[in-house]
Structure formats: C-alpha cells, structure tokens
Amino acid sequence: MPGPRPAPPRPAPPRPAAARAAGTVPGPRPASGSGSAARPKSPTVRLLPAAPQDALGCADDVVDELLEAGRRPGDVLVLTVGEAHPWQQHELSFGEERYWAQLAEAADVFYADAAAVRQVRREVVVLVVNASGTNRAGSAAVRAAELAGSLLVVCGGTEAVAALFPGAERPVPA
C-alpha cells in the first residue's frame, strides 16, 4: 500500500558572492565542492586593539563591515566578555525563551555573553573584550574560535589573547 513519499531535500540557500572588503574584515569565502563545504580546521583570526570602553563600538563597526561585505546577519555571533551589548539587553527584555530562540533561528546577528552562549557555530564570531583586568578573555577567545567557522575577530583586550593566536592578522598602523 503506497504511503506518503519523502520530500526531496531542500537546496541550501544561495550565498552572496560579494567581493572582499578593503577594510578590516574579509568578505565571504566561496563554497567548495558540492553539498557540504569543507570547514577550515581553524578560523582566520583578526585582532583589533581597542580600550575596553571602546570595544563595543569597534565590534559594531566590524559587524557593519561584515554585513556591507555581503555576510548574512544570521552568520554573525557577537560575544561579550564584560558588560552585555545594548542589543542583547534589549532582546532579553522580551524574555529568555524568545531570546534563545533567536540564536537557533539564525535570522539575525546574535549577541550574547561569552560565558553563556550555547553550542551553535556561526561563520563569523566577533569577540568583544570590553572589561579590563579580567582573566575570562583567554578562555572566551578559545571558545569563540571553536564556534567560528571561517573568521574570529577580537575587539579590545587583544593583548590578553594574542599569545593564543600567534598567526593572527593585525591592522597595519597608518
């Protein structure tokens, strides 16, 4: 007796083929092969020094550059080591359940505390070290690198994590 047939697999959404940005953040990498793209063993790491009070602004600039370069908002995760990002505070005002559902939906940039984020990979992770004198930066950077698919950008407090990523890219002084 015939029953319902399984639906054909849904194709992956198309990825933008934006050119690499000339700023501090590279554009999307082209997918290789068919079906599933091979993930690099470790992401490209960019260290952007900033004072703790300026780290959130630096991260906001990075997110803007990523989106302008063609990254999908759902590909970006912003983690803070110090005070929560204002957008995270806003989203939490609607309740914990709705807030964490947004992480799973991956429709927009997601903001979270570096220690509280759940196990969800994103192509790009922006780590905001916006607290001075904290020993959380190193462990947060290692965790952020595990969650990043192709790019990890550390904003502020880079001296605390530089030794962890000896091959990290640094801005060229003007």
Side-chain angles (χ1 to χ4, degrees):
M1 185 153 124
R5 288 193 241 175
R10 292 174 35 180
R15 298 197 70 107
R20 291 190 180 268
T24 60
V25 182
R29 289 183 176 182
S32 61
S34 62
S36 64
R39 286 198 184 272
K41 286 192 175 213
S42 60
T44 299
V45 178
R46 292 259 165 126
L47 302 178
L48 301 177
Q53 65 272 17
D54 298 328
L56 281 172
C58 176
D60 288 342
D61 291 344
V62 168
V63 170
D64 288 344
E65 288 179 25
L66 288 164
L67 299 177
E68 289 170 7
R71 292 277 186 182
R72 288 185 25 231
D75 287 345
V76 181
L77 174 63
V78 178
L79 302 176
T80 55
V81 172
E83 183 179 343
H85 191 282
W87 192 252
Q88 176 189 1
Q89 295 172 8
H90 169 76
E91 292 299 324
L92 278 167
S93 71
F94 298 105
E96 288 270 335
E97 187 175 320
R98 180 68 203 127
Y99 169 74
W100 288 111
Q102 291 178 25
L103 177 63
E105 292 166 0
D108 204 352
V109 176
F110 190 80
Y111 298 84
D113 183 284
V117 74
R118 297 178 181 182
Q119 181 67 22
V120 175
R121 275 181 78 90
R122 293 278 175 103
E123 276 304 302
V124 179
V125 176
V126 179
L127 179 65
V128 185
V129 183
N130 57 335
S132 58
T134 179
N135 58 0
R136 286 182 53 202
S139 60
V142 170
R143 177 80 172 120
E146 292 170 354
L147 296 174
S150 63
L151 179 64
L152 167 62
V153 181
V154 180
C155 297
T158 57
E159 66 282 348
V161 298
L164 297 171
F165 306 103
E169 298 174 8
R170 299 165 193 263
V172 178

